[in-house]
């Protein structure tokens, strides 16, 4: 990997005047500084009231002044300029930092705005260069929305121009994704962004918010709300000087039961509503489009009600998709879709949620569009190869063994401790644990069956498909061009069952896609077909047909 | 394509013989640590919760593992490098066979710990752009490791690509 030094500014670049960001940022700044501190500030203010600081001065106001002061300082010392060849952002007065993004390296220009930004008509412009040499770009936070939109358009146009000039037809620049771009882009060369109107692949239907409570995030959220809330309520009430056990609370059993039921009902209604509202807040107006960018096609994802966010992703950097369906969503035929992305930068590798919880049919069409190939997801219905009886047995064994081992151990251990004092603890061990295991046996059996049924894989012309899991069932679809190695893993138990887990390693997303517990010859055949030529020298024919090797046609 | 079930064959080369010694030394350290933990636990936990044979059982398991695991490891660990690919096999209870085309290799490192230095051993570590683990060839003789790393670096560069 080469690390090109950023070129010195050309005279034209240096002639451009430095500009300040929008002065309304002065109002945004205090919110941003105080926002994350709010959970801290509340107790500080409450405690401050209670303790009353020295000289009774309003110390809180002094803090606000400091925050406002730093806002003014950062506004006055932050400037940017736009040259014909580069964008620069200058920060600080004493310790000055200049961030530079050469235009021919600009890959993405994304706009985002928080609620405060939007109230003031501002947007933040993030310019991504996708190289690690100079960080991963710079952020102009913030500009008037109209100015930001114009800047985005002009930056992308100029980036395409600068790139076309810098590159020529082909100057041997080791652009890693050049060949992939050629495959994926419908146009022969990366042309100006204005050439082709964007194609819209997906628009959010607000009715999908009904799926939100069923997703794992929804369940977790409710857990956090209920658990965390109950932890905090009493101390806060006490701090505020309110008696946490007032007289009107029922002191009888029936009263307590009634109150509990009431609270449960509130939670049962409130949690789904909260989850749906959260869904709408983050995903409102979600639009996924494919359009021409400075370096081949890009995916653009816009979403958000209060905070609008825009993400741009080079189509060539998408190495596949992940379909994930937590058990709740699966029951109603829904799931989520993520894209696996590769980058030169550590930080821009990962997964990006393309579709929040939505019906399976929507995931299929969107996934097919992102993969540019409907085949992999069509296989999900009947076309996945099963992993066989040994794999099924292994799923059952792995799910049930813990229960079947723990129960007898709990029964036997007390016998080994003749001197242990009898008591609640010992009884719990001898009685409670086996009973709990017995009760859990039925759900565990369901889990084992559903895990075994989830197992499946397929190899299409361009993709590897692998499905596993039950509580969260995930289907990975990985572009074979993005496979950078293979790993066959088998524990002693797996070897005895003749199974192996095959990993296709990749630079993006989860770093590897696992085909769980397949017979070894299947795993080898899979890698052989996926990347012909690579594996042949390391394979051998075994088993009963071994003797036929002599008769095999000479290659 | 041949008719019978096709399997992977093990990589061609074993590690340096001193690897066995290196693993024995490592396991010996673990045994000392394990015995210390058992003794401290026996001292801390009230006697009535500890059957008299339990500490001996734990220590026994520790020693057996120290005797059994190094030869097991040595039998599993193998490596091979061709013009096209690196192929390694590591592990003992869980075996891992890894294959990476040279065109996807990012870095080749030679790694030497304190114990390795005393024994004149080194580990060659080949990384790809995936963070899912490097290909490791532990415990070659230092000159052999350095030579292998140099060859790998040259071959990886010759096969082109930037590893993503």
């Amino acid at each position: 990997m080469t690390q090109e030094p950023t070129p010195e500014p050309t005279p034209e670049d240096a002639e451009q005047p430095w500009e300040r960001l929008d002065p309304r940022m002065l109002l945004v700044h205090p919110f941003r500084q105080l926002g994350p501190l709010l959970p801290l500030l509340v107790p500080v203010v409450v405690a401050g009231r209670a303790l009353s600081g020295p000289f009774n001065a309003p110390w809180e106001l002094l803090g606000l002044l400091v925050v406002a002061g730093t806002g003014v300082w950062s506004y006055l010392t932050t400037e940017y300029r736009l040259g014909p060849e580069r964008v620069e952002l200058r920060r600080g007065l004493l310790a000055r930092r200049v961030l530079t993004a050469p235009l021919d390296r600009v890959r993405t220009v994304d706009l985002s705005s928080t609620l405060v930004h939007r109230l003031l008509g501002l947007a933040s412009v993030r310019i991504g260069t996708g190289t690690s040499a100079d960080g991963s770009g710079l952020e102009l936070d913030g500009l008037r929305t109209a100015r930001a939109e114009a800047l985005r358009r002009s930056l992308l146009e100029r980036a395409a121009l600068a790139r076309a000039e810098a590159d020529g037809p082909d100057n041997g620049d080791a652009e890693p994704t050049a060949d992939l771009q050629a495959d994926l882009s419908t146009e022969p060369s990366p042309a100006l962004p204005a050439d082709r109107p964007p194609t819209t692949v997906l628009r959010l239907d607000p009715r999908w918010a009904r799926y939100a409570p069923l997703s794992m995030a929804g369940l977790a959220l409710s857990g956090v709300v209920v658990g965390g809330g109950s932890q905090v309520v009493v101390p806060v009430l006490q701090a505020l000087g309110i008696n946490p056990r007032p007289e009107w609370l029922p002191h009888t059993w029936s009263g307590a039961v009634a109150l509990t039921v009431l609270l449960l009902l509130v939670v049962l209604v409130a949690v789904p509503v909260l989850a749906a509202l959260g869904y709408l807040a983050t995903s409102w107006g979600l639009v996924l489009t494919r359009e021409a960018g400075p370096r081949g096609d890009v995916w653009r994802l816009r979403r958000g009600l209060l905070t609008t966010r825009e993400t741009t992703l080079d189509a060539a950097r998408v190495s596949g998709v992940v379909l994930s369906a937590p058990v709740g969503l699966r029951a109603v035929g829904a799931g989520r879709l993520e894209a696996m992305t590769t980058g030169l930068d550590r930080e821009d590798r990962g997964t990006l949620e393309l579709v929040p919880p939505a019906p399976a049919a929507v995931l299929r069409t969107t996934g097919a569009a992102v993969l540019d190939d409907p085949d992999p997801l069509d296989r999900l219905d009947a076309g996945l190869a099963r992993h066989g009886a040994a794999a099924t047995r292994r799923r059952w064994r792995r799910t049930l063994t813990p229960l079947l081992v723990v129960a007898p151990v709990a029964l036997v251990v007390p016998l080994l401790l003749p001197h242990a004092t009898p008591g609640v603890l010992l009884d719990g061990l001898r009685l409670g644990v086996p009973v709990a295991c017995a009760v859990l046996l039925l759900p565990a059996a369901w889990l084992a069956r559903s895990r075994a049924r989830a197992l499946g894989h397929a190899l299409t012309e361009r993709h590897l498909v692998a499905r596993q899991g039950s509580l969260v069932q995930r289907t990975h679809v990985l572009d074979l061009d993005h496979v950078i190695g293979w790993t066959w893993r088998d524990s002693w138990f797996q070897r005895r069952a003749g199974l192996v887990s095959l990993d296709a390693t990749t630079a993006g997303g989860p770093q590897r896609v696992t085909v769980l517990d397949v017979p070894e010859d299947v795993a080898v055949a899979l890698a052989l077909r996926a990347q012909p030529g690579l594996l042949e020298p390391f394979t051998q024919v075994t088993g009963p047909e071994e003797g036929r090797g002599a008769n095999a046609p000479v290659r | 394509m041949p008719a019978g079930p096709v399997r992977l064959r093990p990589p061609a080369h074993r590690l340096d013989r001193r690897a066995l010694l290196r693993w024995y030394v490592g396991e010996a350290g673990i045994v000392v640590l394990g015995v210390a933990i058992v003794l401290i636990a026996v001292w801390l936990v009230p006697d009535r919760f500890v059957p008299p044979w339990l500490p001996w059982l734990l220590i026994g398991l520790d020693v057996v593992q120290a005797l059994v695991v190094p030869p097991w490891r040595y039998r599993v660990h193998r490596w091979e490098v061709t013009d096209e690919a690196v192929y390694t096999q590591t592990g003992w209870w869980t075996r891992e066979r890894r294959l990476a085309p040279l065109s996807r290799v990012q870095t080749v490192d030679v790694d030497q710990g304190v114990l390795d230095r005393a024994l004149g051993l080194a580990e060659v570590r080949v990384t790809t752009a995936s963070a899912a683990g490097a290909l490791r060839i532990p415990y070659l003789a230092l000159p052999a490791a350095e030579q292998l790393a140099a060859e790998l670096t040259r071959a990886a560069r010759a096969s082109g690509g930037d590893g993503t």
Side-chain angles (χ1 to χ4, degrees):
Chain A
M1 295 184 96
T2 53
Q3 240 191 11
E4 296 168 44
T6 21
E8 284 299 303
T10 56
E12 294 86 53
D13 278 322
E15 270 169 25
Q16 295 295 323
W18 287 95
E19 291 173 73
R20 292 232 164 90
L21 299 167
D22 196 277
R24 275 178 271 188
M25 281 308 290
L26 289 174
L27 292 172
V28 178
H29 189 82
F31 280 99
R32 183 157 358 149
Q33 296 291 305
L34 293 179
L37 294 179
L38 264 182
L40 280 177
L41 283 181
V42 171
V44 165
V45 171
V46 170
R49 280 283 137 73
L51 298 171
S52 82
F55 315 119
N56 245 343
W59 295 103
E60 302 98 53
L61 291 184
L62 194 71
L64 282 182
L65 269 182
V66 170
V67 169
T70 56
V72 173
W73 176 261
S74 107
Y75 168 72
L76 287 177
T77 55
T78 306
E79 292 169 309
Y80 72 98
R81 69 176 172 187
L82 226 68
E85 284 181 26
R86 47 207 270 144
V87 193
E88 286 168 287
L89 178 69
R90 178 163 83 172
R91 263 215 187 102
L93 200 63
L94 303 177
R96 173 160 287 191
R97 245 182 101 199
V98 183
L99 297 171
T100 307
L103 277 183
D104 59 330
R105 296 262 200 84
V106 169
R107 290 183 154 202
T108 60
V109 182
D110 296 334
L111 307 186
S112 69
S113 40
T114 65
L115 181 59
V116 185
H117 277 88
R118 287 178 65 201
L119 288 176
L120 298 168
L122 297 176
S124 160
V125 183
R126 203 187 134 68
I127 302 168
T129 52
T131 53
S132 41
D134 41 15
S136 53
L138 46 87
E139 188 165 5
L140 308 180
D141 183 18
L143 302 171
R144 300 280 289 275
T145 309
R147 170 101 179 92
E149 290 281 358
L151 183 68
R152 181 186 127 81
R153 260 194 309 281
S154 96
L155 267 178
L156 286 178
E157 269 167 35
R158 290 209 241 169
L161 271 178
R163 191 168 154 67
E165 269 171 33
D167 269 9
D170 180 23
N171 64 357
D173 174 15
E175 170 59 34
T177 47
D179 50 336
L180 293 173
Q181 270 174 17
D183 289 345
L184 291 168
S185 127
T186 47
E187 286 159 330
S189 67
L192 296 185
D195 272 358
R196 195 161 47 86
T199 13
T200 302
V201 173
L202 175 76
R203 258 174 217 290
L204 187 93
D205 184 340
R207 281 174 298 174
W208 299 340
R210 66 179 187 273
Y211 294 126
L214 297 171
S215 70
M216 279 293 165
L219 293 180
L221 177 78
S222 55
V224 168
V225 168
V226 174
S230 63
Q231 294 287 310
V232 168
V233 167
V234 172
V236 164
L237 286 181
Q238 280 169 340
L240 295 176
I242 299 168
N243 179 8
R245 299 195 60 189
E247 304 309 317
W248 52 265
L249 265 185
H251 291 282
T252 58
W253 267 105
S254 56
V257 168
L259 189 72
T260 313
V261 169
L262 195 71
L263 280 177
L264 260 178
L265 276 179
V266 168
V267 167
L268 279 182
V269 174
V271 164
V273 169
L274 277 181
L277 286 180
Y279 180 100
L280 289 176
T282 49
S283 301
W284 185 263
L286 180 142
V287 182
L288 178 68
T289 55
R290 182 180 182 130
E291 50 193 81
R295 299 193 161 199
D297 276 14
V298 296
W299 291 102
R300 248 182 108 189
L301 184 71
R302 271 157 294 181
R303 64 197 297 184
L305 182 65
L306 305 178
T307 297
T308 52
R309 217 178 296 276
E310 199 180 80
T311 317
T312 318
L313 189 64
D314 282 0
R317 274 183 44 206
V318 175
S319 59
V321 297
V322 188
L323 249 166
S324 64
V327 60
L329 284 180
R330 207 161 67 236
V332 295
R336 302 178 330 124
L337 185 76
E338 292 166 315
M340 298 191 267
T341 62
T342 336
L344 295 173
D345 235 1
R346 284 274 168 201
E347 65 184 63
D348 61 21
R349 294 170 182 179
T351 53
L352 171 72
E353 186 182 71
L354 294 180
V355 190
V362 174
L363 305 180
R364 295 278 178 91
T365 47
T366 313
V370 171
L371 296 170
D372 206 6
D373 184 0
D375 193 23
L377 294 176
D378 284 346
R379 299 286 184 106
L380 291 186
D381 300 319
L384 287 191
R386 318 297 312 182
H387 291 192
T392 302
R393 275 197 301 274
R394 196 168 140 76
R395 292 276 77 67
W396 278 88
R397 208 173 294 140
R398 283 181 67 93
T399 315
L400 296 185
T401 306
L403 297 178
L404 298 180
V405 168
V406 166
V409 165
L411 280 175
V412 168
V413 162
L415 302 180
L416 297 177
L417 303 172
H419 306 295
T421 28
V424 183
L425 207 67
L426 208 60
D427 287 346
L429 194 66
R430 220 163 15 198
L431 212 72
V433 174
V435 167
C437 286
V439 170
L440 283 176
L441 216 52
L442 205 63
W446 173 84
L447 189 66
R449 199 183 68 139
S450 121
R451 278 182 176 158
R453 285 188 171 184
L455 287 186
H457 69 269
L459 189 70
T460 69
E461 199 181 327
R462 279 173 40 210
H463 296 96
L464 172 69
V465 186
R467 187 176 68 187
Q468 70 171 80
S470 172
L471 290 179
V472 182
Q473 187 183 86
R474 289 200 174 84
T475 310
H476 288 88
V477 182
L478 177 64
D479 191 324
L480 293 176
D481 285 331
H482 286 270
V483 174
I484 59 179
W486 300 92
T487 304
W488 295 261
R489 245 176 318 123
D490 44 7
S491 70
W492 187 76
F493 290 124
Q494 277 174 302
R495 283 198 290 281
R496 239 178 36 152
L499 297 172
V500 55
S501 294
L502 174 68
D503 288 347
T505 59
T506 173
Q511 306 297 319
R512 62 175 166 210
V513 168
T514 303
V515 184
L516 190 66
D517 280 344
V518 273
E520 180 170 352
D521 54 329
V522 175
V524 172
L526 207 59
L528 267 172
R529 277 192 295 145
Q531 290 186 330
L534 177 67
L535 203 57
E536 261 95 7
F538 306 112
T539 54
Q540 62 185 10
V541 183
T542 55
E545 289 96 337
E546 197 162 18
R548 288 171 51 182
N551 299 330
V554 181
R555 279 185 302 161
Chain B
M1 187 137 293
V6 179
R7 287 165 190 279
L8 287 172
R9 64 169 175 76
H13 311 295
R14 282 187 187 279
L15 304 182
D16 191 285
R17 280 200 174 278
R18 281 171 289 174
L20 203 54
L21 184 61
R22 170 65 185 76
W23 278 317
Y24 272 126
V25 174
E27 292 290 343
I30 292 174
V31 166
V32 171
L33 201 69
V35 170
I37 289 173
V38 167
L39 290 181
I40 291 173
V42 167
W43 180 59
L44 285 179
V45 178
D47 279 351
R48 63 199 159 95
F49 290 119
V50 186
W53 44 265
L54 189 61
W56 297 111
L57 179 73
L58 292 177
I59 291 174
L61 284 177
D62 212 7
V63 172
V64 167
Q65 137 146 1
L67 291 177
V68 168
V69 170
W72 192 346
R73 272 191 211 274
Y74 185 73
R75 279 175 46 141
V76 173
H77 277 72
R78 283 171 162 273
W79 62 278
E80 185 172 346
V81 175
T82 67
D83 294 341
E84 301 284 317
V86 193
Y87 177 34
T88 64
Q89 175 172 297
T90 57
W92 53 286
W93 182 267
T94 297
R95 174 177 62 168
E96 255 191 25
R97 286 166 293 177
R98 288 173 169 262
L99 184 73
L102 285 181
S103 57
R104 306 291 196 155
V105 167
Q106 273 195 331
T107 64
V108 183
D109 302 331
V110 176
D111 224 55
Q112 226 187 357
V114 179
L115 277 176
D116 311 342
R117 279 185 106 139
L119 292 169
L121 295 172
E123 173 178 323
V124 177
R125 197 175 294 161
V126 181
T127 65
T128 64
S130 167
L135 285 82
R136 294 170 51 244
I137 307 174
Y139 310 138
L140 299 177
L142 181 60
E146 277 171 347
Q147 195 193 340
L148 177 63
E151 273 169 26
L152 271 172
T153 311
R154 205 164 32 241
R157 199 175 301 143
S159 69
D162 75 328
T164 50

